[in-house]
Amino acid sequence: MSLDFNLGAFNDYFRNETFRDDFTYANSPAGIRRFPFPFDRDDYMYSVNMEPHVPGRKGSVFEHAFDVDEHYVSEMIDRAKVLASDPLRCQSLPHMTLAGWDLLELIMEAKARDYPQWFTLTKDGNRWHWINRPLGIDHHFTFLDDSTLPYGPFEYITRQTQGDFTLQDERDNDLWMDAGMVTSQADWSLDFDIGMSFMEWHAPVPLAHEKGIFDRALKFLLKLQHGAPVRRFNWTMTVNPLLDTAPETYPVWGPTKTSLTPENLGQKQHLRVELQALFRLPRSNAIAFSIRCYLGRFEELVTIPKWGRRLHRVIRDINPDVAAYKGFLRNRDAMVAWLAGYDDGAPTSPGFWPED
Amino acid sequence: MSKTAFPPAIKSRPVYGVLEPRPGAVHLVVADGEGAGAVTDMLAKAADRAGMLAAMHIIYTPGPNGTDQTAMLAALGAKQCYRAPTIPTLLPRLTRVLSDAHMGTQFYLAGTEGLIGQAERDIMATGFPHHDIQKEHRGSTVRRVQCVHCKGITENVATDPFVCSHCGLSLFVRDHYSRRIAAFQGVNIDAEDPGQVPPPVVRFT
């Protein structure tokens, strides 16, 4: 049994694009309008900013628990390429297998419910039948029997799901990152951080510890209940639509940060938004953390006038420590200069929706 | 010499205490270099020093700076006292001893971060939580650093930046620390501007 993709169906919807080499990734006009612009006001500072992960506006990235968009197939191909070149990007400590099955169940049930045209899950006791039409997968397997899948359950399902995932074990009143599928990360190393406690893996983040943000976030997450997931945004900046900004390959992609000019900035510079969601898992009591990355080219984002104005103000006024940690301090002034052309000084409405 | 004082740092960077005698069926001591002094200071505080020594196994190796206080430890009269020439030769013995460790074993780690971190890693692998392992830093502050790019570990790093002993990239040394790897993280310093490597500065002695 393998997990080879057998593509062909639904090519009219899923874009054929790349996140490397020639970087053909782009958002369609509809994709731009549903982009999860993360700023609900004209300035930014760290906050816990968590809210219930309940179904949101129709057509938005909040409509379903696991958003499947026009980039799905190409993202899964990119993930397979990353894993082929570096298998350490997916790791699971031995005690996390049950949590992996929990996540597989959560995702399969959600996708089959929310996108029946693409995914079908049929159960006969523990004998399950999974069909993933966009990737051309049709598997029968036995739930909770690792030997019936071509990968462990965590790797199997996250090779078919957009976004990075980590699984947190709960012990000693703390959360331990004991498994991860990490191929579209904002410059952090799963291989280094796996096994760390909540405070340890967040240790490098500036300012937020002093504000008590991680203390409050951990306290909140330890109370997370099954069936009541939560979500928040995070964001950074990336030159080129490169999903895999890994520290492992930093010498390869780092030099692109020096490639921006006033002429190419709008085309090369991307706002990188993470829609993060947290789910308590029923059998293992672990917490699944999904980190879904959306890339929006500056040229695309400023087609929404409110976003052009607001992005200019946020980047112009950001704390330099935050810009440095997020890795764009060297290009901040160039971004502000480019964005200034899209800020006429008009007031912006509260909230992040494009036109409210 | 007493406990090393470190400046404040991020939360993944280990912090060290002062060894205190605790009641236990077995007292397993793993130390290097100046860590021997932490062991003798701890024993000086013991209410039943003779009883503690009768149940003590000391595993010791000289420090990365050459400090060798084997004679001082051997003279204590512990039930077992072993000198390994290096940390890599110390670890297999530790693993074997841990396979017999039962509830009621007390762990005392003292010396440099490389020794403490690797011993802690191997003790944690038996299921023992790290916060119940006593650790006191003494002696050299050179670091054990993992290259995030090639995954190679360079021992006894004194300068920042330094050259990875495996892949040859120039790395800057972060305070971010992995207990599972028992190492700090090293990241390529000239990734964005290839060739522009600042001169190395001795940060760890």
Side-chain angles (χ1 to χ4, degrees):
Chain A
M1 189 193 286
S2 78
L3 194 60
D4 292 342
F5 300 157
N6 182 16
L7 308 176
F10 304 102
N11 279 345
D12 50 335
Y13 179 75
F14 295 110
R15 301 176 67 90
N16 180 10
E17 59 192 1
T18 57
F19 301 86
R20 55 181 69 214
D21 305 324
D22 56 351
F23 291 112
T24 61
Y25 168 89
N27 289 294
S28 68
I32 295 171
R33 290 198 57 76
R34 76 192 298 280
F35 187 82
F37 190 76
F39 306 114
D40 63 351
R41 65 196 73 187
D42 287 355
D43 55 59
Y44 173 80
M45 182 31 85
Y46 290 116
S47 64
V48 178
N49 67 329
M50 275 192 273
E51 62 178 13
H53 189 36
V54 292
R57 288 190 188 187
K58 196 166 167 47
S60 76
V61 302
F62 306 117
E63 183 178 4
H64 300 306
F66 299 95
D67 182 42
V68 179
D69 68 8
E70 61 189 358
H71 310 295
Y72 174 58
V73 172
S74 291
E75 280 192 42
M76 294 300 93
I77 291 170
D78 193 69
R79 166 158 292 166
K81 287 178 180 172
V82 173
L83 292 170
S85 67
D86 184 359
L88 292 174
R89 304 298 190 79
C90 182
Q91 298 189 46
S92 179
L93 299 184
H95 58 281
M96 297 308 283
T97 304
L98 183 61
W101 282 110
D102 275 335
L103 181 69
L104 175 144
E105 175 188 56
L106 176 70
I107 292 176
M108 285 187 176
E109 289 186 346
K111 284 189 167 178
R113 176 188 68 230
D114 297 334
Y115 303 96
Q117 72 277 33
W118 295 330
F119 307 98
T120 303
L121 178 65
T122 314
K123 297 180 185 176
D124 174 12
N126 272 358
R127 282 179 296 177
W128 290 20
H129 181 198
W130 168 246
I131 302 174
N132 177 337
R133 293 181 189 85
L135 297 180
I137 293 163
D138 186 325
H139 279 162
H140 296 266
F141 64 94
T142 304
F143 186 64
L144 299 177
D145 181 350
D146 300 2
S147 69
T148 61
L149 288 177
Y151 294 100
F154 175 68
E155 181 167 355
Y156 178 81
I157 195 59
T158 53
R159 278 177 177 264
Q160 303 177 54
T161 308
Q162 286 166 281
D164 286 348
F165 283 82
T166 63
L167 297 177
Q168 280 64 230
D169 194 26
E170 182 173 330
R171 305 188 299 274
D172 302 332
N173 232 17
D174 206 340
L175 297 175
W176 304 83
M177 189 203 294
D178 287 344
M181 167 67 91
V182 178
T183 68
S184 55
Q185 68 282 250
D187 199 10
W188 67 277
S189 171
L190 171 73
D191 183 56
F192 194 79
D193 286 4
I194 190 171
M196 288 190 186
S197 71
F198 189 81
M199 293 301 168
E200 286 174 342
W201 87 71
H202 285 115
V205 183
L207 305 173
H209 289 275
E210 294 81 345
K211 293 175 189 293
I213 283 173
F214 292 120
D215 291 320
R216 294 203 300 282
L218 176 60
K219 200 172 285 187
F220 181 87
L221 291 177
L222 288 171
K223 291 184 163 57
L224 189 67
Q225 297 290 310
H226 177 234
V230 296
R231 67 179 170 230
R232 68 181 289 266
F233 277 134
N234 198 6
W235 66 276
T236 186
M237 293 287 178
T238 303
V239 177
N240 292 328
L242 177 65
L243 280 175
D244 182 32
T245 49
E248 280 78 2
T249 53
Y250 179 40
V252 177
W253 57 266
T256 62
K257 290 194 196 181
T258 64
S259 68
L260 293 182
T261 65
E263 292 70 38
N264 69 19
L265 191 144
Q267 198 266 329
K268 286 177 85 83
Q269 184 62 55
H270 290 68
L271 175 62
R272 181 187 193 99
V273 178
E274 292 177 354
L275 175 57
Q276 306 178 340
L278 295 125
F279 305 82
R280 177 72 73 176
L281 299 176
R283 297 171 188 78
S284 58
N285 199 42
I287 290 178
F289 184 39
S290 70
I291 312 155
R292 173 67 179 278
C293 174
Y294 295 87
L295 293 165
R297 181 178 298 178
F298 271 26
E299 276 177 352
E300 294 173 345
L301 298 175
V302 299
T303 63
I304 310 287
K306 172 181 169 180
W307 293 353
R309 294 183 183 110
R310 177 163 289 167
L311 188 58
H312 171 246
R313 296 167 198 179
V314 167
I315 303 306
R316 179 191 64 198
D317 300 337
I318 198 157
N319 183 308
D321 288 349
V322 176
Y325 174 69
K326 291 178 181 291
F328 67 89
L329 189 57
R330 73 181 300 153
N331 289 323
R332 194 260 290 254
D333 292 347
M335 291 180 203
V336 173
W338 191 89
L339 288 165
Y342 299 90
D343 184 1
D344 56 8
T348 55
S349 57
F352 42 67
W353 299 104
E355 272 157 16
D356 287 4
Chain B
M1 181 180 281
S2 63
K3 173 182 187 296
T4 308
F6 289 105
I10 65 172
K11 294 196 174 194
S12 58
R13 196 230 187 289
V15 293
Y16 304 95
V18 175
L19 299 186
E20 299 290 341
R22 286 182 185 166
V26 173
H27 301 281
L28 182 58
V29 173
V30 185
D32 76 342
E34 288 82 352
V39 179
T40 55
D41 288 356
M42 184 262 292
L43 278 164
K45 291 181 279 189
D48 177 15
R49 176 186 160 95
M52 198 170 178
L53 280 165
M56 182 173 286
H57 185 168
I58 300 172
I59 305 176
Y60 179 77
T61 188
N65 56 5
T67 299
D68 185 353
Q69 299 183 316
T70 305
M72 182 173 82
L73 291 178
L76 292 171
K79 184 182 180 201
Q80 285 170 276
C81 182
Y82 175 75
R83 176 193 185 275
T86 60
I87 293 174
T89 58
L90 174 154
L91 294 172
R93 181 184 180 98
L94 174 62
T95 302
R96 175 65 186 87
V97 171
L98 289 173
S99 71
D100 287 341
H102 297 295
M103 294 289 287
T105 301
Q106 292 288 354
F107 298 102
Y108 307 86
L109 313 183
T112 67
E113 294 202 89
L115 179 279
I116 292 174
Q118 292 176 84
E120 176 187 71
R121 175 198 62 198
D122 291 354
I123 295 168
M124 285 169 63
T126 68
F128 203 84
H130 71 80
H131 45 75
D132 288 340
I133 303 168
Q134 292 199 66
K135 290 154 281 194
E136 179 168 341
H137 189 280
R138 296 229 188 167
S140 173
T141 60
V142 292
R143 290 189 174 187
R144 180 177 147 87
V145 183
Q146 189 206 40
C147 172
V148 75
H149 312 291
C150 78
K151 308 300 179 188
I153 300 237
T154 302
E155 304 282 355
N156 302 329
V157 171
T159 67
D160 187 10
F162 73 100
V163 175
C164 174
S165 60
H166 299 266
C167 70
L169 284 175
S170 290
L171 308 179
F172 68 92
V173 183
R174 300 182 79 192
D175 281 341
H176 200 30
Y177 182 88
S178 164
R179 293 184 195 278
R180 191 181 66 89
I181 302 169
F184 291 92
Q185 189 177 65
V187 179
N188 188 202
I189 195 165
D190 59 334
E192 296 182 21
D193 305 284
Q196 293 185 34
V197 180
V201 174
V202 175
R203 272 185 63 204
F204 318 111
T205 55

